[in-house]
Amino acid sequence: MHEMSLVREMQRLVEAEAAAKQFGQVKRIQIELGSVACVSQASLLFAFDSVRTGLLHNTELDIHAVPARGVCPACGLNMVMMSRLMDCSGCGHLIVAEGGDEMRITALEVI
Amino acid sequence: MCGTCGCGQTNHIHDHHHGHETEARRISVELDLLARNNHLAEHNREDFKAQGLYAINMVSGPGAGKTTLLEAAVKSLATHADVFVIEGDQQTSLDADRIATAGAKAIQINTGAMCHLDAHMVGHAAADLVPDNGSGWLFIENVGNLVCPAAFDLGENKRLALLSVTEGDDKPLKYPDMFASSDVVIISKCDLLPYVPFDMERCLQAIHSVSPKAEIFELSATTGEGMDDWLNWLAGERTKEYQQPGKSAA
């Protein structure tokens, strides 16, 4: 449910950007979302549709998932982590993800 | 057909110049959604340090016993230091009333629709609650929620996750984000262990695998068992923080 506050922050950041870079409408907003950023894509899309207003009124939201990495503490295998915890595909040991908590706007398509 | 340049595509980016005033352009940006919160959290941290406040952000699911633990902690700590408490709940001031009765100065933040506290709310609440020369302990009781508060730094010195034995020993694996971001985990309501199917060894292993560096305490705020170990550890951490030259904690 904190996706609502993230969308409000998105709105605030884009409005500040619009004032600085002189645009009035955003056609598309592209964000990067880490796979362990504790954000549900579905909730974020729903929140975006519910909360956005003004210059985000007709905006499409593109979410790029950024996977976290993890190293198995037992066998050293490198894994792509789509969740905070995964079993090592080599030896089955539990791996905790590193990084993958980014949530940022990377591009805007504006008019 | 594209309404801007009439080129037949409908879904493209106009990074080539056509000479219309209204064509879309692509702007690369780097706007972190948590940057503002993190910035305000750093401000809070500086303010707390300048005042000699040691701040603890308490997180847990609803009903894990945060307020009961706080009541017991306040009774013990308030004998030799000021204790300030920020209570976050969707509604009511019931928790702030309980904490004030225990001997702390408390302020309630009603978050309404919000499912977590953020650094902005906490900064204002702390400014309202703590006098300019106030120092001591600042406990921040977050909204009961094991998911949403994890992403929001409040400027605390320590994040404390609370897990009661009635919730089950698998909670750290089910909600790993919250436990991974915590410095200390308290397993509460241990007086109820004889009555619930809670495997302590399994729970400790789960916490350790998700958050290898976390300090873990087993206690019961109701009987007081284990409380001293936790409070002594906390006092030691606070002393370490204020041992540097300069401003000392009163």
Side-chain angles (χ1 to χ4, degrees), chain A residues 45-59:
Chain A
L45 285 165
F46 177 75
F48 188 74
D49 280 340
S50 313
V51 174
R52 64 174 164 173
T53 171
L55 79 179
L56 288 183
H57 183 61
N58 276 318
T59 309

Side-chain angles (χ1 to χ4, degrees), chain B residues 48 53 67 70 74 83-101 103-111 117 120-131 137-143:
Chain B
F48 298 158
L53 276 177
T67 312
L70 254 180
V74 166
V83 185
F84 302 93
V85 178
I86 297 173
E87 285 287 346
D89 273 309
Q90 268 201 307
Q91 285 194 1
T92 80
S93 62
L94 295 172
D95 280 359
D97 299 344
R98 277 173 67 184
I99 292 302
T101 306
K105 295 180 183 69
I107 191 169
Q108 182 89 39
I109 303 179
N110 282 144
T111 56
L117 294 176
H120 182 241
M121 297 174 187
V122 166
H124 281 289
D128 289 344
L129 174 68
V130 185
W137 298 94
L138 175 64
F139 289 92
I140 305 161
E141 187 179 332
N142 219 314
V143 180

Side-chain angles (χ1 to χ4, degrees), chain B residues 180-237:
Chain B
S181 72
S182 293
D183 308 292
V184 47
V185 178
I186 285 186
I187 303 174
S188 66
K189 307 190 190 179
C190 284
D191 54 310
L192 299 180
L193 273 172
Y195 313 106
V196 291
F198 184 92
D199 184 336
M200 185 61 80
E201 211 37 56
R202 205 170 147 224
C203 184
L204 294 172
Q205 258 178 25
I207 297 168
H208 190 71
S209 60
V210 175
S211 185
K213 289 185 193 138
E215 293 284 337
I216 305 173
F217 295 94
E218 301 164 33
L219 57 79
S220 162
T222 306
T223 65
E225 204 176 341
M227 281 294 289
D228 284 347
D229 286 348
W230 169 54
L231 290 173
N232 288 339
W233 174 81
L234 209 51
E237 291 299 303

Side-chain angles (χ1 to χ4, degrees), chain B residues 116-174:
Chain B
H116 61 91
L117 294 176
D118 64 32
H120 182 241
M121 297 174 187
V122 166
H124 281 289
D128 289 344
L129 174 68
V130 185
D132 287 344
N133 58 352
S135 67
W137 298 94
L138 175 64
F139 289 92
I140 305 161
E141 187 179 332
N142 219 314
V143 180
N145 181 327
L146 268 176
V147 182
C148 303
F152 296 86
D153 184 7
L154 305 179
E156 69 266 21
N157 294 88
K158 297 279 180 208
R159 185 174 295 187
L160 181 157
L162 190 63
L163 159 70
S164 61
V165 299
T166 51
E167 292 171 77
D169 47 45
D170 52 0
K171 268 271 155 55
L173 297 178
K174 286 170 155 176

